[in-house]
Amino acid sequence: MSRASFNTSSSSSDNTAESEADACTEQTRRALLMSALATTACLACSPQVHAGEDAPGSDERPQKGDLLVFSEGDQEGQPVTAAALSAGGPPVHAWPKDPKTSVVRSASRLNEILIIRLDPAELDEQTKARAVDGILAYSAICSHAGCPVTAWVKSDVGDKEVLKCMCHNSEYDPRAGAQVVFGPAPRRLAALPLALADGSLSVAGNFIGKVGGAQPG
């Protein structure tokens, strides 16, 4: 009787131990599964967390060797070619693009560039030295209050077309290094030396002159 009771108790204990072991195993399995799912979820959402961030280098100033790509219009993102530029203007707007990483340096508005094609015979010697086949590049940011330079119009003080900021009517002559010919701008637009390879334009050096406005607004 005692032995029978002992055997019954042992069996019950064994069953309990097995149940506890099974429960422990199940909990461990679930924990591992949840951990794996959490890791997968983090990996999946990681690119989304960074999706709104600017790519490294996108706010850096134009670098030597950068390609120039259209910043607006139907050709946005495409390389600016000499064939795409009409002689005598108007200018086109462009961003520099790192050819190695394909990063467009558009995270800073100070990187936007005006590209215009003029008659080389009209350029002064310093301006001609920075041009390629009469094609010139300047900062698209007015040196007065930092507004965008958007117009190509006849000057208020002469008979030639000029680059003009419509905010406060500052005018720049691209034939003479974008010097100020009218308005409150305190200095010329920064110039960007150019190179031409296989018909496409690229940056040949750093900006010459300060980029941006002299005052906020």
Side-chain angles (χ1 to χ4, degrees):
M1 185 72 177
S2 173
R3 185 172 181 178
S5 297
F6 177 79
N7 288 339
T8 302
S9 298
S10 295
S11 177
S12 176
S13 298
D14 291 344
N15 291 337
T16 300
E18 289 178 2
S19 297
E20 291 177 351
D22 289 343
C24 183
T25 300
E26 179 63 17
Q27 289 178 353
T28 302
R29 188 184 70 80
R30 288 182 179 178
L32 291 173
L33 180 59
M34 292 300 294
S35 177
L37 290 174
T39 301
T40 302
C42 287
L43 291 174
C45 71
S46 182
Q48 296 178 5
V49 172
H50 300 289
E53 297 181 2
D54 294 319
S58 60
D59 60 347
E60 294 180 358
R61 292 290 170 266
Q63 309 288 314
K64 184 176 181 180
D66 281 357
L67 298 175
L68 295 177
V69 298
F70 288 96
S71 63
E72 58 186 13
D74 295 338
Q75 294 179 282
E76 182 177 354
Q78 298 300 311
V80 180
T81 63
L85 302 170
S86 301
V92 302
H93 289 244
W95 294 117
K97 176 181 177 180
D98 187 331
K100 296 179 180 177
T101 64
S102 294
V103 170
V104 178
R105 306 189 196 280
S106 58
S108 171
R109 62 187 295 269
L110 299 182
N111 287 343
E112 192 161 22
I113 300 162
L114 292 171
I115 305 175
I116 189 167
R117 186 171 202 164
L118 300 171
D119 183 350
E122 294 183 351
L123 311 181
D124 66 25
E125 291 305 313
Q126 281 190 329
T127 303
K128 189 180 297 183
R130 295 192 294 267
V132 55
D133 292 342
I135 302 171
L136 303 162
Y138 294 105
S139 168
I141 305 301
C142 181
S143 65
H144 174 232
C147 296
V149 177
T150 58
W152 176 243
V153 295
K154 187 174 180 179
S155 175
D156 287 342
V157 293
D159 58 356
K160 292 184 177 180
E161 286 81 7
V162 292
L163 301 170
K164 185 166 186 172
C165 172
M166 302 306 291
C167 289
H168 305 98
N169 297 316
S170 292
E171 296 179 355
Y172 305 89
D173 184 1
R175 305 165 192 81
Q179 69 178 3
V180 181
V181 294
F182 184 77
R187 63 179 186 277
R188 66 184 66 211
L189 296 175
L192 191 67
L194 295 178
L196 188 64
D198 298 325
S200 295
L201 293 167
S202 64
V203 178
N206 297 329
F207 271 122
I208 300 171
K210 182 180 177 180
V211 178
Q215 57 182 293

